[in-house]
Amino acid sequence: MKKKIVSRYCLTVLLLIIAVLMIPSYAEAAKKPGKKTVKNLYHQFLQQSMSGSDYFITLDINRDGVKELITSKPRRSSYSDDIYSVYTIRSGKVTLLGTVSESSSYNYKASGKKKSIYYNKKCKAIRDCETGPYSTSLTLYRIAGSKLKQKINCTAIYNRYRIFQVSYGTSRPKSVSESRLNSLEKKYMKKQCKKIKLVLNTEKNRTKKL
């Protein structure tokens, strides 16, 4: 009799453990919107004039099965940078994660009519490029929670003093040699990065590309 009670108790405990372990997966599945829902939400968003999105593309940046929406407006001038807004779906709504830029003076043919971003699939991150008269800053941004957060940054300053720095995540910048910086830029910002072209925000492209 005691053996039956013990076996039933063990079975009950085992079932409870299995149920507890399965709860997070069910919750995660419930939070993740379906492809049709994502497409409809992005379609409605791009139709709204208040979105200010003249170019767009969808890309699953963090490879979680839900595509992000990346939009951009025409550049103000041939010398201005391209600014890209990155959105995802949170609680059934299109939510802004952050923005990245691509300098028109860095490895870029300024036409004003074409838009492209650079994506590092291995790092699950998109590139931000900012240049100044004597500086270049290249950053990979990944999705963390509801924001874009830095993964790696490479900065070169050519002024009175030549400064080369690298930082990972939220760590403080670390000084490196010029050759080391060039090596990291080549690996993370160029070689591993794929150029992704945006398309015009038209009804035809919304139907075809979303």
Side-chain angles (χ1 to χ4, degrees), residues 7-31:
S7 61
R8 287 178 182 175
Y9 175 78
C10 292
L11 180 61
T12 302
V13 171
L14 180 61
L15 290 173
L16 285 172
I17 292 173
I18 293 173
V20 170
L21 290 174
M22 291 179 69
I23 287 173
S25 61
Y26 284 137
E28 185 178 352
K31 290 180 181 178

Side-chain angles (χ1 to χ4, degrees), residues 11-205:
L11 180 61
T12 302
V13 171
L14 180 61
L15 290 173
L16 285 172
I17 292 173
I18 293 173
V20 170
L21 290 174
M22 291 179 69
I23 287 173
S25 61
Y26 284 137
E28 185 178 352
K31 290 180 181 178
K32 187 180 293 186
K35 291 182 179 180
K36 188 175 181 180
T37 298
V38 172
K39 182 176 181 178
N40 289 337
L41 287 171
Y42 286 157
H43 193 281
Q44 292 173 11
F45 179 78
L46 288 170
Q47 280 184 317
Q48 297 173 1
S49 59
M50 62 182 293
S51 68
S53 308
D54 297 276
Y55 300 85
F56 78 93
I57 198 66
T58 55
L59 176 66
D60 189 356
I61 297 173
N62 57 356
R63 318 300 293 177
D64 68 345
V66 178
K67 290 184 176 181
E68 279 66 52
L69 174 68
I70 302 171
T71 68
S72 187
K73 298 179 183 180
R75 282 184 282 123
R76 293 187 299 273
S77 69
S78 59
Y79 301 102
S80 61
D81 296 343
D82 283 312
I83 307 298
Y84 300 89
S85 299
V86 184
Y87 301 88
T88 193
I89 305 299
R90 291 284 187 272
S91 302
K93 296 181 181 179
V94 179
T95 305
L96 178 67
L97 293 171
T99 61
V100 296
S101 63
E102 188 66 28
S103 176
S104 59
S105 61
Y106 182 84
N107 193 27
Y108 187 87
K109 293 181 180 179
S111 66
K113 295 182 180 180
K114 294 183 179 179
K115 295 277 188 173
S116 298
I117 61 161
Y118 291 83
Y119 173 59
N120 188 319
K121 183 178 179 180
K122 190 172 183 179
C123 293
K124 300 178 183 179
I126 54 176
R127 191 182 82 181
D128 174 274
C129 173
E130 296 181 15
T131 61
Y134 307 102
S135 65
T136 300
S137 178
L138 294 168
T139 309
L140 285 181
Y141 282 99
R142 62 184 179 84
I143 297 175
S146 58
K147 293 183 179 180
L148 291 179
K149 292 189 178 180
Q150 176 181 300
K151 182 175 180 64
I152 178 175
N153 169 265
C154 297
T155 298
I157 300 174
Y158 302 91
N159 207 332
R160 183 177 179 182
Y161 301 101
R162 294 162 66 87
I163 301 173
F164 308 102
Q165 294 181 326
V166 176
S167 61
Y168 297 89
T170 57
S171 65
R172 296 181 63 180
K174 179 181 178 181
S175 295
V176 296
S177 65
E178 184 176 9
S179 61
R180 174 60 174 164
L181 187 78
N182 289 336
S183 176
L184 290 171
E185 284 186 354
K186 183 178 181 180
K187 178 181 178 181
Y188 291 104
M189 311 298 179
K190 297 178 181 179
K191 190 175 181 180
Q192 291 184 3
C193 280
K194 180 182 179 182
K195 188 176 182 179
I196 308 292
K197 294 181 180 180
L198 280 73
V199 298
L200 286 170
N201 181 16
T202 63
E203 182 60 36
K204 181 179 179 180
N205 284 335

